[in-house]
Amino acid sequence: MSDNSANRRFERESAKRVFAAELREAHHHFREGTDDKSPTYILLPTGERCNRVFIAGTLTEKKKSEGEAVFYQIRVMDPTGIFFVSAGSYQPEALHQISSIESPSYVVIIGKPGVFQAPDGRNLVSIRAESITAVDKTVVDCWILDTARLTLDRIEKNNDDPDHQKAAEIYQRPFESWRPKVKEALASIQL
Amino acid sequence: MELKEIADRISEKFAAAGHPIDRAKLEEKINRFVEEFSVPPAEAERSIIGDYARQFGMELPSAGPSKQDADSVIPISEIQAEQWVTVEGQIVTLIPSRSPSVAQSGVIMDSSGTMRFTVWAKANAPVMEQGKWYRLESAVADEYNGQVSLKVHSGTTITELSPDSVPEPVITPLSEIKPKQWISVEGEVTTIFPPRSPSIAQSGIFADNSGTIRFTVWASANAPLLEQGHWYRLDLVESDEFNGQLSIKIHSGTKITPISRDEMPDIEKTPVGELSPGVALVEGKVVAIEKQYSDQILQRGVFADDSGAVRFIIRNSPGAEPLMENQWYAIKGAVVDRYRGALSMQINPGTATPLLEDRSIRPNIIPVAQAGPGIVCLRVKLVQEYENTSERIFQSGLLGDESGTIRFVTWKDDMAQRLVPDMVYSIYYASVDEFNGRLSVTLNGATLLPDEGATIQVRSPNEEVKGAFVHLSPGSGLIKRCPVEGCGRVLSRQNYCPIHEIQPNYIYDLRVKGWLDDGQKTYDTIISREGVEELTGLNLITAQEMAENNPLGLDTVFYHVNEQILGRYLICRGKVFDNRLVAYNCEFQAFDAGMLAELMNRAEGGSHE
């Protein structure tokens, strides 16, 4: 980053909370502005753009590919499905953290989601981890509450919101249809 | 039992491949996944198989790609490279061919989008005409420099579509234009700028009820000159975006139709508080006249009705006349624009008619927290005065009410009025600007009425933020501060203070710098020593010992703190200013069972399917 940008006020994009089931269905991605450095977003089916996500769950699989560069592929499971997460040499912090986490473990991950096309034409959403931390079950449960609340907020968001309208157009799926997923996630919490 | 079956399947699978697995270890593994981490058995099986396969260097089969057929018509916006496609669209431009191997090239459009196309000379295809619709069967899409384009070769069939199968052009409201579209629009030419390049015949502003947009008429379009103040329908203009600003381009394919007065859409009267960019009919009162700053501007001021207020501007053009303060006017065809987030209304010559009646206006006083760019009325007191950073500033500081605080500035002029600390003021028609995401009120031109004896409890800046700690920045953990009295700046690695240079007798301190994120907003957060000690159980002495006894030095403390708080939910209390949070007191969030019950009810709530 140049000195110039350090003087400017920097607004960091907030990390959106999203369940695996919803993130998996997201496929619309776009760039705000024409600049090479302008941020890219994916549009969540419940109608909010996200450029960064905060997710939690159980790390169930960790694959390391050794080649020219070390690269990890990870599966993380929340109560609604699977997140695909990766970390490579451009994410040194995450790379370092992942190397010492074994599957299965509870983890939280902050990262950037991207949409990729599988060879069979399906869209896959994968998260490039910026950081990953092993946590205890309480943190995951807090995350489920937080994500449930914010997902309900999106479902119930008023219809004037442009992202909300765009999502309705693109995904052709009623926002209300996400409610059972939220219920499912909340029900998975064992007290 | 299910888990046993999984173990059987896995061990058989690997035994068959010549890799026997320790059964006890396998069962323990499955148990760990399923019992301890409640991973569904299928996912556990998948994961464990993957692990062993990698361990033994076996390849796992993956799903193969499927094929797509190219027969049905596909929307242009969905075309991807390396695809055989059939499209139906209109030729919106033809670009002169620069190579003998290319017969025609240009842009084709359908309702979903546009795409470049090339017809190879070898294709022997019929010549397509600009403006007409065609069906292209079995064209191939390819990609060059990230841009997908369509190639017509000898295997492609081109058929002209009959006029009745062609969709009727729809008028796009200006506010709904997106870049890179070919569209039809209707509106008024409100302003014409002198062209700045010989390739441009005309440029200016085009407006309809929904908004305004810049337009450019290419010289190559050979279009008739557009006249200011007239309405036109423009078919097949291209929308474009530059530096975040949208514009429309009129080129040789654009059809320009003047619209007469009776065809013009009626404009209804808009309350000032509901104005948006575009052309509007408004009625209101001139409540303030500002001092003007330039020769090009005849007058600036504030125009208001009961619903709100807007800044207005009259340019110094022939026939322009100033408005009178405290007089009501009806303004026809006012052009509303947005600048730095605030609306501004341009009044053109001959469009303002004085009204005889004088209705009373009750200025609508709003809480500071609701103030946004534009004209506002507030009831506030001076909370803090800043030192002047510029000779042009008369007074600046922070105003506040029960809802929050906002910056203000009064520039030097002969009417400038100084605010007295702790005095409550009613401020009418001050303008709020947004700069770098921060709001600021300018008091010049506003009416300031002191209310002696009144008191306001300004909202205390001590607030609570709950969120996840998503990033720990460098400069966190154990840090060194400059010992010079009144400085206390954080020293860099070489014990260097930006003001007092090398300081070998530094003072240690603990802090956390980073981002606390509630899912909607991210706070640039600094947690003070007290807060860090509370969170991590680490105090300054133990942190110092940690750093001294470890080869990593100060970094050890950074990693230790990072491990404890990154990705955790925190509750922090302190001062919030814009998106900055200075926290003195922090704790980890506990699981809230009451919240779970509440959310369960809420999730239940709307599902009637």
Side-chain angles (χ1 to χ4, degrees), chain A residues 8-17 33-34 48 54 58-64 75 77 82 93 97 103-106 108 110 117 119-120 131-135 137-139 141-143 145-150 152-153 156 174 176-177 179 182-183 186-187 189-191, chain B residues 29 32-33 36-40 43 46-47 50-51 54 63-66 68 80 241-244 436-438 467-471 515 517-522 559 562-563 566-569 577-580 589-593 595-596 599-600 602-607 609:
Chain A
R8 255 192 0 229
R9 272 184 81 72
F10 172 61
E11 286 260 355
R12 184 182 159 111
E13 296 274 345
S14 71
K16 298 296 155 66
R17 323 295 204 246
T34 47
E48 186 166 20
F54 177 60
T58 311
L59 187 156
T60 61
E61 194 179 326
K62 180 172 115 177
K63 268 197 276 189
K64 185 180 180 184
R75 282 162 74 90
M77 201 192 67
I82 307 275
E93 189 184 347
Q97 292 161 323
S103 78
S105 303
Y106 292 118
V108 294
I110 294 132
Q117 194 127 58
D120 57 359
S131 68
I132 167 167
T133 326
V135 294
K137 182 85 170 38
T138 317
V139 178
D141 286 347
C142 280
W143 176 83
L145 288 190
D146 194 26
T147 307
R149 180 176 61 85
L150 289 161
L152 286 171
D153 284 351
E156 294 163 6
E176 285 297 324
S177 68
R179 222 177 256 279
V182 176
K183 240 161 56 186
L186 290 170
I189 297 178
Q190 292 153 1
L191 292 180
Chain B
K29 236 183 200 178
R32 217 167 119 66
F33 270 92
E36 202 177 321
F37 285 91
S38 39
V39 173
E43 173 69 14
R46 189 188 173 288
S47 172
D51 265 354
R54 271 189 295 281
S66 66
Q68 282 176 332
Q80 283 163 357
E241 190 180 5
F242 183 68
N243 278 346
N436 273 351
R438 188 183 287 171
F469 199 82
V470 294
H471 182 73
W515 296 92
D517 182 316
D518 69 7
Q520 295 288 339
K521 203 173 159 173
T522 311
Y559 292 127
N562 198 32
E563 208 160 282
L566 187 68
R568 309 312 202 282
Y569 279 96
F577 192 82
D578 291 335
N579 71 340
R580 302 243 158 122
Q589 257 184 71
F591 181 77
D592 183 349
M595 175 70 102
L596 174 60
L599 285 170
M600 276 287 204
R602 207 176 136 197
E604 215 57 71
S607 59
E609 294 127 314

Side-chain angles (χ1 to χ4, degrees), chain A residues 53-167:
Chain A
V53 291
F54 177 60
I55 60 156
T58 311
L59 187 156
T60 61
E61 194 179 326
K62 180 172 115 177
K63 268 197 276 189
K64 185 180 180 184
S65 58
E66 311 251 17
E68 294 262 308
V70 184
F71 185 79
Y72 279 102
Q73 279 180 303
I74 311 146
R75 282 162 74 90
V76 174
M77 201 192 67
D78 82 356
T80 69
I82 307 275
F83 293 106
F84 301 96
V85 182
S86 66
S89 47
Y90 287 112
Q91 295 84 39
E93 189 184 347
L95 202 65
H96 174 80
Q97 292 161 323
I98 284 173
S99 62
S100 59
I101 302 176
E102 290 308 319
S103 78
S105 303
Y106 292 118
V107 292
V108 294
I109 291 169
I110 294 132
K112 302 229 169 192
V115 178
F116 302 92
Q117 194 127 58
D120 57 359
R122 277 180 316 155
N123 287 304
L124 282 183
V125 178
S126 162
I127 299 165
R128 243 182 316 116
E130 293 173 323
S131 68
I132 167 167
T133 326
V135 294
D136 59 24
K137 182 85 170 38
T138 317
V139 178
V140 176
D141 286 347
C142 280
W143 176 83
I144 294 174
L145 288 190
D146 194 26
T147 307
R149 180 176 61 85
L150 289 161
T151 306
L152 286 171
D153 284 351
R154 293 197 294 266
I155 293 173
E156 294 163 6
K157 191 153 61 169
N158 107 40
N159 284 321
D160 293 346
D161 184 88
D163 280 354
H164 214 241
Q165 287 171 353
K166 206 158 117 197

